[in-house]
Amino acid sequence: MSLEKKGLPAPGVYGKEELDLWKLLSRMQDALSSGSSGALASFLGIVKSIGSNGKRVEHLEIEAYERHANPTIQRICEETRERFGLEFVGIWHLKGRFKVGEPLVLVVVAGKSRKEVFQALEEAVSRYKTEPALFKKEAYDDGTYAWLDAGH
């Protein structure tokens, strides 16, 4: 069954105002309740108050080159789903300006058992942090900022 029939948007990059990750996460149970999966695991990435350099974060800005990022995220989902024999893998990353505590990314994996679901979730999270053309800038409360390397 397609994502649209399940009521889910396609994996990819969305503007902060376009997609509510909390609501999307709450819809997962209904969308994936066919009984073919025995485990569902999710990762919700949230803006931290302390940056990678130890400074206090005021906000985080996410930019994306969507012509690269969207097909890359979709490829990660499909490859991870196939590799682990899963029912579903989805990655939704937001772009825009985010306050501390706001969600930025949701990764959801569903499959037959927790073993492959947990392994697949870890792989999907690691890959979305390095492969798509996503750019993160931390702005600090002292007025400075830093562009983050892939993986942060």
Side-chain angles (χ1 to χ4, degrees):
M1 182 180 288
S2 73
L3 291 176
E4 292 75 28
K5 289 182 182 177
K6 292 180 179 191
L8 302 175
V13 177
Y14 292 85
K16 179 181 174 181
E17 297 78 24
E18 292 180 88
L19 191 62
D20 183 324
L21 296 181
W22 289 111
K23 287 181 182 175
L24 180 57
L25 181 58
S26 71
R27 294 194 335 236
M28 287 298 150
Q29 182 178 359
D30 291 336
L32 301 172
S33 63
S34 68
S36 60
S37 290
L40 183 144
S42 64
F43 168 82
L44 186 67
I46 298 171
V47 178
K48 300 177 284 195
S49 63
I50 303 298
S52 54
N53 57 9
K55 290 185 176 186
R56 183 157 299 281
V57 173
E58 189 214 70
H59 69 271
L60 183 70
E61 295 177 31
I62 305 288
E63 296 179 10
Y65 178 50
E66 292 180 50
R67 289 180 59 191
H68 176 275
N70 284 328
T72 301
I73 287 172
Q74 291 163 6
R75 187 185 78 244
I76 292 168
C77 292
E78 185 60 26
E79 288 174 359
T80 304
R81 189 187 65 73
E82 288 177 5
R83 178 171 178 219
F84 291 94
L86 302 169
E87 178 185 1
F88 180 79
V89 176
I91 302 170
W92 299 272
H93 206 299
L94 301 181
K95 64 180 182 172
R97 184 175 174 150
F98 299 86
K99 299 175 194 171
V100 169
E102 286 188 298
L104 315 159
V105 61
L106 174 63
V107 181
V108 176
V109 176
K112 291 180 182 155
S113 73
R114 69 181 181 270
K115 182 178 180 181
E116 60 262 9
V117 164
F118 286 149
Q119 290 173 341
L121 181 63
E122 185 173 356
E123 179 173 304
V125 169
S126 294
R127 289 184 67 188
Y128 97 73
K129 289 181 137 307
T130 59
E131 293 178 30
L134 297 168
F135 309 98
K136 299 178 184 182
K137 181 172 94 172
E138 283 182 339
Y140 308 109
D141 64 359
D142 66 2
T144 63
Y145 67 89
W147 288 96
L148 303 181
D149 292 333
H152 281 92

